[in-house]
Amino acid sequence: MSRYSYRNRGFDFGDFEITKREILASISIIAVMLLIGVLISSKISEHQLDANEVYNKVVKIDNTDLFQYGMDTNVGNAFVYGDLVAVDTVTYTEIGGEYMYIEKVKEKYTKHTRTVTYKDSNGKTHTKKETYWTWDRVDSEDKKCQEISFCGITFNSNKIDLPSTDYIDTIKESSHIRYKYYGVGTNYIGTIFTDLRDKTISDNTKFYKDKNIEETVKQLESGGGAIIFWIFWIVLICGCVFGFYYAENKWLE
C-alpha cells in the first residue's frame, strides 16, 4: 500500500502534507540556492586555478646545495624532494627500537551499562539494562625527537609535520590495564611544499610521504574542493526543501 496519497491540493504523507503551492514555492527555493551554489563554486574553482598556477611556477628542488641556496637567497615558495631522517631518536625501554615520535596510550578495561529496547513474541515493547565491557583510553604520554634532517639539512623537529603514527605493540599490565604504543619511524622519503626564507623553512611544513614532486603537485592540483562543496550544497538544499515542506506554510493559502 502506498505510504502517501494524492489529493487535488497536493500530496498527503500522513505526518505532513505537501500542497501544490508549496511545490511551486520550493522550485523557487531550489533555483535560488542553485544560483548561489554556482557563484560559490566558481569562487572555489578560481581559487584552485590560482593555487595551481603557483604550484606550477615555483622552484622545484631535489638536492642539498639548491635547497640551502634557496633558503639563503629567500627564494620563496618551493617544492623540495628528499629524505626525512631523525637526527636523535626516542623510545620507551619496555619496547625498545628507535623512533622520531612515539606515543604511549594507557587503556582500562571498563564496565558499562546501557538501556536496550526490544519487542517480545507478542509485539510488546520492553526495556532492560545490558552490561558490556570496552577498552577505554584513560591517559597518554609521548616523546618526540629534537632534530630532524631533510634533504641533508638539519632542522628543529617542529619545522616539519611528521608522518602519521603506526601501531607498534601492546603490553598488558594486568587483566584490566594495558598500554598501546604508536610511533613514527626514523627514515622516510617524500616532498615538502614550503617557504624558503631567512635561511630556513616554514613552521609546520607538511610532508608528503612517498611522493615525488610531480605526484605532490598532482595531489595539490586536484579539484576536489568544488566536488565536496556540491555534495554538501545538494544535501543542504534537500534539507531546506524538506524543512519547508514539513513546516505549516499557512501564508501560502
Side-chain angles (χ1 to χ4, degrees):
M1 182 179 292
S2 176
R3 298 178 61 185
Y4 65 88
S5 61
Y6 176 76
R7 296 182 177 179
N8 290 334
R9 61 193 302 258
F11 296 90
D12 186 0
F13 288 86
D15 291 338
F16 65 98
E17 181 183 356
I18 301 177
T19 66
K20 291 180 179 179
R21 291 183 179 181
E22 286 177 326
I23 293 173
L24 292 174
S26 69
I27 292 173
S28 299
I29 293 172
I30 293 171
V32 170
M33 293 196 70
L34 284 175
L35 177 60
I36 295 172
V38 169
L39 294 175
I40 297 174
S41 178
S42 65
K43 292 295 182 182
I44 294 173
S45 297
E46 286 175 13
H47 174 76
Q48 187 66 57
L49 288 172
D50 291 341
N52 291 350
E53 186 175 0
V54 171
Y55 297 145
N56 283 286
K57 287 184 176 180
V58 300
V59 177
K60 297 174 176 62
I61 297 170
D62 60 4
N63 67 77
T64 303
D65 291 338
L66 283 177
F67 189 23
Q68 185 65 63
Y69 179 77
M71 291 187 291
D72 292 340
T73 57
N74 299 330
V75 75
N77 289 331
F79 285 102
V80 187
Y81 177 74
D83 290 310
L84 176 65
V85 183
V87 175
D88 56 296
T89 60
V90 293
T91 191
Y92 286 101
T93 55
E94 61 267 30
I95 62 167
E98 296 181 333
Y99 305 92
M100 285 188 195
Y101 170 87
I102 189 168
E103 181 183 24
K104 178 180 180 179
V105 178
K106 181 180 181 180
E107 295 183 340
K108 184 177 181 181
Y109 200 49
T110 310
K111 181 180 179 180
H112 304 275
T113 59
R114 60 190 171 196
T115 301
V116 179
T117 302
Y118 67 97
K119 290 185 178 182
D120 60 22
S121 58
N122 297 318
K124 189 175 181 181
T125 301
H126 303 272
T127 60
K128 67 176 181 179
K129 284 193 174 181
E130 182 179 86
T131 300
Y132 65 101
W133 293 78
T134 59
W135 284 102
D136 297 337
R137 180 178 179 138
V138 294
D139 197 11
S140 67
E141 58 182 84
D142 58 63
K143 296 179 182 180
K144 187 178 183 180
C145 66
Q146 295 297 312
E147 292 183 324
I148 53 172
S149 169
F150 181 72
C151 197
I153 299 175
T154 299
F155 301 95
N156 183 285
S157 61
N158 291 325
K159 278 291 184 178
I160 294 178
D161 289 340
L162 302 184
S164 58
T165 59
D166 294 314
Y167 168 76
I168 302 172
D169 199 3
T170 299
I171 296 178
K172 275 197 171 185
E173 181 182 276
S174 67
S175 60
H176 284 66
I177 297 294
R178 71 182 184 185
Y179 295 90
K180 297 187 80 170
Y181 298 84
Y182 303 87
V184 177
T186 60
N187 197 328
Y188 296 88
I189 192 166
T191 299
I192 62 173
F193 178 65
T194 190
D195 186 11
L196 305 184
R197 199 175 303 277
D198 300 326
K199 302 183 184 299
T200 189
I201 61 176
S202 309
D203 292 338
N204 304 119
T205 290
K206 186 171 181 180
F207 176 72
Y208 298 89
K209 185 178 73 171
D210 299 328
K211 291 187 181 296
N212 59 32
I213 292 176
E214 289 72 21
E215 291 169 335
T216 304
V217 171
K218 186 176 180 180
Q219 177 178 327
L220 292 173
E221 283 184 338
S222 64
I227 295 173
I228 293 171
F229 165 75
W230 274 113
I231 292 172
F232 162 78
W233 198 249
I234 289 171
V235 171
L236 180 63
I237 291 173
C238 292
C240 290
V241 172
F242 178 80
F244 175 73
Y245 286 153
Y246 198 79
E248 293 185 9
N249 300 298
K250 293 182 178 180
W251 55 277
L252 288 172
E253 299 296 329

